[in-house]
Amino acid sequence: MSQQQMNNNTSSSNIPVSERYWTLVDKADKKFSKIRDLPYYERNRYDTYFYKVFKVYTQLWKFQQENRQKLVEAGLKRWEIGEIASRIGQLYYGQYMRTSEASYLSEAYIFYEAILTREYFKEGSFQDFNLANKQLRFLARFLMVCLVLNRREMVHQLVNQLKMLVDECKRTFQDTDFKEWKLVVQEIVRFLKADTAFMNIRPLRYSLVLDPHPDVLPHVAAPVARKNLRLRDAVLSSYHHNEVKFSELTLDTFRMLQCLEWEPSGSFYLSAGGKNGQNGALGSSRINHSQDIADPTLPPNPRKAVLYRPSLTHFIAVLATICEELPPDGVLLVYLSASGTTGHTLSPSGSGTCFNAAENITRDFQSHTIHSDGTSTSSMSSPSNSPNPSASQKKGDCISYHTGCLQFGNCWSGGLNCIYPSDLIPFTRRPLFIIIESDASEVFKAISGAEKGERAALLLSPNCSFPIGSSDASRHSVGSLLTIFLTAPLQAFCLLLGISGSDIEMILGDPFLRRFLLRFIFCRAVLTLFVQTYNKEEFHPECMPALPDAVSPRTSAFQTAVVQLAKLFHATKRFVFTEAIPLPDDINSGTRS
């Protein structure tokens, strides 16, 4: 050892343990503040930042473990230990959001669970307002991790604790307004109520217990030699007024997020008997949580950017960044769920809302398209330029030039927060798989044939969404219909029939995209044959380019599949089948349900 190293060690040993600890805390705080607000969607740019701040927190955690007694004697509080663990949990969750690697999510759960079981924030929380807020924020963050990880038992435990803590804080700190925390409680309760039909039936994630392994999927013979494309990234965003959400995760984006992940190996089917002890050291539950890591032979989860009500400029910036960093063999999935046009007609049941944009497709797209000379017309046109400027407008309705787009913002903001088909065309230089869930979905047909390099695949929801549940407003309480079919088709089938959850693959090489397409075909077949939407094209979803006739809803194979499923729910009379399809012998009993 050199003389300089010996001198440094001697100097360090002369510094009190508490002083060295608080120096590390200060260093960690500064690095954490730099990384806390960095965007999740950039692929590799901030990796070095994460590793630097994580290294400091690793040193800090190890130091307080090795010197716990001396630090406690020097005045270290339990909540201060909990705050370090909470920061580490935040780092892991943030890195999961940047990479979609399930191991980071599992590590976040480990740290948050240790904080909960050791009650780091509980002591003194009802005497100190700031400490009470720390505990509330911790519970909200842990709730998000458990929700994404699909640990529903823990979710309900945390919701109960959050309710009790908010109520206790209201009584203790009577002069303080806890309105925001009451809204958080209302959000998660509403979210769980809306998602009840989707729990404990099967995981939304790709499960090798229930779905085929990618290696056994049949290969598609391409007409020309092409690169082997794989889904690498996804942009998920929704904007509906009064939509169900928790924090910045809406019901629709949550389902899509879940459906774009591999189910951890067997964890969905583990018994609840192997619960962790409450007095073990932090990280003692790693053996049990190792089940959360997916099969290493599987491809990685596609990275996902979840955008909550983004501005148009932010959405375009994220899309551009991801396209720039997309690997050569990568496909980008773009999922957009939002309201669109404002023409009102009756639904097939006599109630509900239907938006018809067909007559405006050509006009709207020409008004907002990118011309060959590189110029573009304004996405804002005055009401006087509309085909019918004298048309009366109901209060709250958007004016006519908003037809032909998705509204990601207040309708009175003009085109500033509207997404037009032409906004996506520049990005078709890369392979895009686009899912549009909107009453204006039909206008996005204009993308097909106008691509700038790669052919885009589009799954388009019906312009008219058949009301599911007790009222037309039910889309706010159960989510968007096509999205439900794409993520949980059996539950969607039951919802369409009015059955609650308690009552009850040959197209692409990529397993995630294949599953979306198969479920889309199922959705189209069900809505095509459903009595109340039979021969009503406005209620049928569309795919661009067109799917082959072999998967038409009117083929014998698909009608047979639907009639067999309908028979299970005694609902065969709710569908229209051709005479060539043999119906069950007990069809007369099919009026139940």
Side-chain angles (χ1 to χ4, degrees), residues 16-18 20 64 66-76:
V17 168
S18 59
R20 280 187 283 162
Q64 66 84 22
E66 293 173 346
N67 299 277
R68 175 72 62 84
Q69 186 59 40
K70 292 181 180 178
L71 291 171
V72 170
E73 291 172 358
L76 181 67

Side-chain angles (χ1 to χ4, degrees), residues 241-254:
H241 295 292
N242 199 33
E243 64 188 329
V244 178
K245 73 178 188 70
F246 176 60
S247 185
E248 296 188 351
L249 198 61
T250 69
L251 195 58
D252 285 342
T253 55
F254 167 74

Side-chain angles (χ1 to χ4, degrees), residues 334-402:
V334 179
Y335 170 84
L336 297 174
S337 177
S339 300
T341 55
T342 57
H344 298 279
T345 63
L346 288 178
S347 73
S349 62
S351 63
T353 303
C354 172
F355 303 99
N356 184 11
E359 61 188 25
N360 297 319
I361 294 176
T362 304
R363 184 192 76 244
D364 290 333
F365 183 70
Q366 289 175 345
S367 299
H368 309 291
T369 192
I370 298 176
H371 299 288
S372 58
D373 60 0
T375 62
S376 63
T377 57
S378 172
S379 61
M380 280 281 289
S381 58
S382 67
S384 61
N385 293 331
S386 64
N388 186 11
S390 62
S392 61
Q393 295 289 331
K394 293 182 180 179
K395 185 176 180 181
D397 283 352
C398 294
I399 51 182
S400 60
Y401 58 75
H402 281 178

Side-chain angles (χ1 to χ4, degrees), residues 169-213:
C169 286
K170 284 165 56 183
R171 288 192 293 268
T172 304
F173 307 104
Q174 297 180 1
D175 297 333
T176 307
D177 186 6
F178 280 86
K179 183 179 179 181
E180 290 186 2
W181 284 110
K182 288 189 289 184
L183 290 176
V184 171
V185 172
Q186 291 171 6
E187 273 192 1
I188 187 60
V189 170
R190 187 182 180 211
F191 190 101
L192 294 176
K193 182 179 179 181
D195 204 43
T196 298
F198 298 89
M199 292 169 54
N200 302 323
I201 297 176
R202 65 156 290 165
L204 296 182
R205 292 177 288 197
Y206 199 107
S207 170
L208 292 183
V209 177
L210 301 171
D211 297 302
H213 194 284

Side-chain angles (χ1 to χ4, degrees), residues 268-285:
F268 182 77
Y269 306 96
L270 290 178
S271 66
K275 293 185 178 179
N276 306 316
Q278 296 194 4
N279 297 318
L282 185 61
S284 63
S285 57

